[in-house]
Amino acid sequence: MTTTDSLTPSRFEHIPLAVFPTSTDASRMVAQEVAALIRSRQREGRSVVLGLATGSTPLSFYGELIRLHRAESLSFKNVITFNLDEYYGLKPEHPQSYHHFMHTHLFDHIDVPAEAIHVPDGMVPASQLEKFCLAYEEKIRAAGGIDFQILGIGRTGHIGFNEPGSARRSRTRYVTLDPLTRRDAAGDFGGEENTPRAAVTMGVRTIMDARRVVLMAWGQHKADIVRDAVEGPITPQVTASFLQEHDHCTFVLDASAAGSLTRYRTPWLIGALEDQGLAWDERMTRRAILWLSEQKKAILKLTDDDYNESSLQDLLRVHGSAYETNLVGFYQMQHTITGWPGGRDPKRTKPGDAPVRPLRGGSAQVFPKRILILSPHPDDDVISMGGTVCRLVEHGHEVHVAYQVSGANSVSDESLWRSLLFARGTGAANSAAEAFCSTFEQGDSPAATPEIMQWKGLIRRNEATAAARVCGVSSDRLHFLDLPFYHGTDRRRQLGEADLKIMGALLDELKPHLIFAAGDLDDPHGTHRLCVRVLRDALAQRISQDWAAASEIWLYRGAWAEWDASEIDLAVPLSPQEVLRRRRAIFRHETQKDQALFLGNDRREFWQRSEDRSRRLAATYNALGLAEYEAIEAFKRYAPADFAQQKQF
Ligand code: F6R
């Protein structure tokens, strides 16, 4: 397998890696390797046994296999497949079953013989499970063993459903699922309480017996567990780490999933940067200084010895001494902080004030500005940047907020029922509302008809309107885009022309000077990723227009995570009063309180997550030796042309 990354495996890595700029490039390479194997076996008149995975990871790989079948007449007639696992208790026709998944995403589109397909049966009665599992192993053996095993990795480090604690010698068996795994799957099942608790899975040993293993991982949310599996000790706590003992295993990663590996996170520990094709540019310098400070002491107190002891001699050489190096890092961080996120009002600027720092775009000097804030769901704006929204409005900018999807999927039937009770009480309930209420009151689940989903969307729209009002944004500056991709029920949601057109029309209407958007790649269901992607693509189509070229993009990180301090370009400090005002705005999203009950062991509500996160960031700044604030909201900057080319979204 060729790779875009030719660095020799360092002493830190115990599994060979192939890192690609995007998951699409990576999947294509894996598909090519599999196709070559299938074809070479065809020439020899032999069959080939593939071990297959489900989940979001292999989707683009399966897409590529289907393309090869259609466009390059790759036949699967000589292929035998064994799937890793199946949820226990789900019938094959259940839309979330792995049987269903495999047929929808692969088997129905290729010519693999039906009798060559094997997926564990999730409906085997408990008394026959052991027999079934032994028979599954036997079938794999009888087929000649697995030639090529495809794997994803769960955030618990699982391969298949071999959760932490699984033995090295385990084989196909019944297992219970880890809470984190269930939480990650909860979105597909409409909440954790509906998510299966158990599965039938191939064991670690079954997987290790495969002659070739490729584990794929995409996205930042996989980065830490990938590092643990590749660089950490071999342990049943991270079952993917057992693959360190496999003779022919490769981890195929996109750049985000590789991001926590030592070679990317702290490359100076591996050796001289020049030898790795890297340089001490602004970001790398800042990253090293913050890393050192986090381990030792405030930036301005770091000494030559601190740098020397931590493999940072080269950095000292670039700047001369610890004193000089510290100042570089300190000022970089200090210059991220401003209470004027849209730039200073020239009328209120005092002599000596830096007028627009850290804004740098062509429209930096314009005041007041037209500002577009994009919120994927109707509450992301206030959760992630509510304090900044308030400030931008107070400073007199023309602030527009666009809600990209309706958010209807996370309004419970009970929430809608309560609103319909109100309509009923006022005599305004129509027959559809009456039907919904009576079904719900009988304890049944009303069908999610387009009308019901529209009402649920309306509830969220009203909540967003009330929240924006708390921040001072008037309702005529709110835009509810209701992007159509969100209404797809398939987990492989994709952007279409209609999404791009709606996003583009808003940009054409507003021609904003600044755009704030969620740069969140951690949202497990992909909505945020598609929301930033549609902005990227719509902006790319307009990049030659003057307004677009002069604009600036500021990404916040969504509800689940915060930027690493070394990536922050704009840090907006909040006073205790502003934190309370933001809390009031988040409270307006009443239907989302229930979400806290679905979030695994972490029962914090969104306002709590928002406050914990922005207070933690303020504490980080303080520990680096900068001023002590109550809370900080943070953003990463992109020049429009760079943003339009970002592949990681
Ligand atoms: C799937 C499987 C799991 C997934 C893993 C990653 O058959 O056994 O190990 O590969 O949970 O899931 P995604 O790809 O959805 O992140």
Side-chain angles (χ1 to χ4, degrees):
M1 187 177 291
T2 49
T3 149
T4 55
D5 199 323
S6 58
L7 191 77
T8 48
S10 72
R11 65 185 188 283
F12 292 91
E13 295 169 8
H14 309 303
I15 298 179
L17 302 178
V19 183
F20 293 84
T22 68
S23 58
T24 318
D25 304 329
S27 304
R28 206 170 289 145
M29 288 309 299
V30 180
Q32 254 152 37
E33 189 183 336
V34 170
L37 176 65
I38 296 175
R39 286 195 170 114
S40 86
R41 289 287 172 86
Q42 274 160 3
R43 283 192 295 273
E44 296 162 12
R46 292 169 60 200
S47 58
V48 56
V49 182
L50 302 184
L52 299 178
T54 56
S56 54
T57 306
L59 285 171
S60 43
F61 164 72
Y62 293 146
E64 181 62 13
L65 289 184
I66 296 168
R67 193 195 67 76
L68 288 170
H69 173 66
R70 289 184 183 149
E72 298 180 21
S73 50
L74 173 67
S75 169
F76 292 78
K77 286 241 159 70
N78 64 328
V79 172
I80 302 171
T81 70
F82 286 91
N83 262 82
L84 281 166
D85 41 20
E86 177 59 285
Y87 288 117
Y88 190 65
L90 292 199
K91 295 197 178 110
E93 52 286 0
H94 189 290
Q96 299 305 335
S97 79
Y98 286 167
H99 277 83
H100 189 266
F101 177 100
M102 287 309 299
H103 282 278
T104 313
H105 295 294
L106 182 65
F107 299 149
D108 291 353
H109 312 283
I110 58 176
D111 60 347
V112 61
E115 64 281 9
I117 293 172
H118 305 86
V119 182
D121 183 352
M123 296 302 290
V124 184
S127 60
Q128 287 164 42
L129 263 172
E130 204 180 321
K131 209 168 110 202
F132 172 83
C133 294
L134 284 172
Y136 200 70
E137 289 279 333
E138 185 44 44
K139 277 186 197 153
I140 296 174
R141 249 189 311 274
I146 293 171
D147 292 302
F148 199 112
Q149 177 65 55
I150 291 292
L151 296 176
I153 182 170
R155 288 199 297 158
T156 59
H158 71 212
I159 45 178
F161 275 138
N162 293 286
E163 298 289 19
S166 298
R168 165 83 173 73
R169 60 175 189 288
S170 56
R171 292 214 172 259
T172 301
R173 69 203 187 288
Y174 169 90
V175 289
T176 52
L177 299 177
D178 188 275
L180 181 57
T181 299
R182 294 185 62 236
R183 175 185 146 186
D184 282 349
D188 295 332
F189 289 92
E192 217 173 290
E193 71 279 18
N194 308 319
T195 306
R197 293 174 184 281
V200 176
T201 181
M202 282 187 195
V204 175
R205 186 62 195 265
T206 327
I207 294 169
M208 293 293 286
D209 281 350
R211 285 181 273 281
R212 166 89 172 115
V213 176
V214 168
L215 182 147
M216 299 186 277
W218 327 130
Q220 200 168 24
H221 59 297
K222 298 286 176 74
D224 286 352
I225 197 68
V226 163
R227 179 204 49 216
D228 292 349
V230 172
E231 298 189 355
I234 299 176
T235 161
Q237 288 314 307
V238 180
T239 54
S241 68
F242 286 123
L243 295 167
Q244 293 181 18
E245 291 178 343
H246 196 282
D247 290 336
H248 201 192
C249 170
T250 307
F251 272 32
V252 175
L253 310 172
D254 71 357
S256 310
S260 291
L261 295 168
T262 303
R263 63 159 108 165
Y264 296 112
R265 176 143 294 187
T266 49
W268 47 89
L269 294 178
I270 289 182
L273 292 195
E274 306 87 85
D275 297 346
Q276 303 173 55
L278 300 168
W280 284 113
D281 58 18
E282 205 180 302
R283 276 280 173 214
M284 188 71 81
T285 302
R286 203 209 297 188
R287 197 144 32 105
I289 297 170
L290 297 197
W291 170 79
L292 188 63
S293 166
E294 260 161 45
Q295 295 180 76
K296 300 205 177 248
K297 50 187 95 134
I299 297 174
L300 294 177
K301 291 184 182 166
L302 293 168
T303 63
D304 283 9
D305 284 350
D306 292 325
Y307 282 90
N308 283 323
E309 282 163 11
S310 304
S311 309
L312 286 169
Q313 299 87 340
D314 272 5
L315 182 59
L316 276 190
R317 202 163 33 78
V318 173
H319 296 285
S321 69
Y323 181 80
E324 304 291 338
T325 317
N326 293 347
L327 284 180
V328 170
F330 182 81
Y331 283 126
Q332 279 187 15
M333 287 313 284
Q334 198 182 45
H335 292 176
T336 63
I337 303 172
T338 178
W340 294 84
R344 271 184 191 277
D345 180 349
K347 291 197 289 299
R348 288 159 76 179
T349 302
K350 297 186 287 295
D353 281 344
V356 289
R357 207 175 62 202
L359 302 190
R360 279 188 274 159
S363 55
Q365 306 290 343
V366 177
F367 198 97
K369 294 186 173 58
R370 224 168 16 262
I371 296 175
L372 171 60
I373 294 166
L374 287 170
S375 180
H377 295 97
D379 53 358
D380 291 303
D381 55 341
V382 286
I383 289 173
S384 298
M385 57 171 292
T388 306
V389 178
C390 295
R391 281 198 170 217
L392 291 169
V393 173
E394 264 164 25
H395 292 168
H397 299 290
E398 182 184 324
V399 177
H400 294 258
V401 185
Y403 301 97
Q404 292 176 283
V405 306
S406 78
N409 294 343
S410 62
V411 176
S412 66
D413 286 340
E414 200 227 24
S415 294
L416 176 57
W417 172 71
R418 268 192 292 154
S419 295
L420 293 180
L421 281 186
F422 180 79
R424 226 189 212 173
T426 63
N430 65 11
S431 59
E434 287 298 346
F436 178 93
C437 289
S438 68
T439 311
F440 180 79
E441 283 158 9
Q442 281 160 25
D444 295 331
S445 299
T449 60
E451 190 174 23
I452 297 296
M453 294 316 280
Q454 211 184 346
W455 288 344
K456 289 186 171 183
L458 182 62
I459 292 180
R460 296 213 66 184
R461 189 183 275 229
N462 294 343
E463 289 175 342
T465 307
R469 192 158 187 269
V470 173
C471 300
V473 185
S474 59
S475 52
D476 57 324
R477 292 195 176 150
L478 303 182
H479 308 262
F480 295 94
L481 304 185
D482 197 6
L483 294 177
F485 82 79
Y486 180 74
H487 301 298
T489 46
D490 190 335
R491 58 196 287 166
R492 196 177 185 196
R493 288 186 189 144
Q494 276 181 340
L495 291 175
E497 269 309 308
D499 300 295
L500 204 58
K501 224 166 130 191
I502 294 170
M503 188 69 243
L506 183 70
L507 294 179
D508 291 340
E509 180 193 333
L510 297 180
K511 301 190 171 42
H513 301 109
L514 298 183
I515 301 174
F516 289 83
D520 180 3
L521 308 181
D522 278 346
D523 140 55
H525 313 301
T527 302
H528 286 206
R529 189 183 285 266
L530 292 180
C531 284
V532 69
R533 193 178 289 171
V534 75
L535 170 67
R536 177 196 68 188
D537 294 349
L539 195 71
Q541 291 174 340
R542 290 161 178 78
I543 201 68
S544 57
Q545 298 181 23
D546 290 348
W547 72 265
S551 69
E552 244 173 297
I553 322 296
W554 292 96
L555 298 187
Y556 58 90
R557 263 311 287 283
W560 309 101
E562 187 52 272
W563 295 115
D564 191 66
S566 65
E567 299 202 87
I568 293 171
D569 296 307
L570 169 61
V572 182
L574 304 187
S575 68
Q577 291 85 339
E578 287 171 308
V579 172
L580 280 182
R581 187 168 170 198
R582 181 179 64 188
R583 187 190 297 182
R584 210 146 51 81
I586 299 172
F587 277 179
R588 296 298 168 269
H589 292 278
E590 284 172 37
T591 58
Q592 300 309 295
K593 281 171 92 71
D594 275 5
Q595 291 290 309
L597 302 174
F598 303 146
L599 302 175
N601 292 329
D602 182 354
R603 306 285 190 223
R604 283 177 306 159
E605 289 185 31
F606 284 114
W607 67 272
Q608 291 168 310
R609 290 165 173 276
S610 167
E611 289 182 18
D612 290 351
R613 155 186 160 185
S614 56
R615 288 212 172 92
R616 206 174 314 124
L617 183 60
T620 302
Y621 266 69
N622 190 225
L624 292 169
L626 291 133
E628 184 172 358
Y629 296 105
E630 174 72 10
I632 291 181
E633 290 177 349
F635 305 87
K636 183 174 158 90
R637 176 186 190 275
Y638 285 90
D642 287 345
F643 178 74
Q645 286 170 18
Q646 284 300 314
K647 282 185 137 195
Q648 85 257 28
F649 299 130

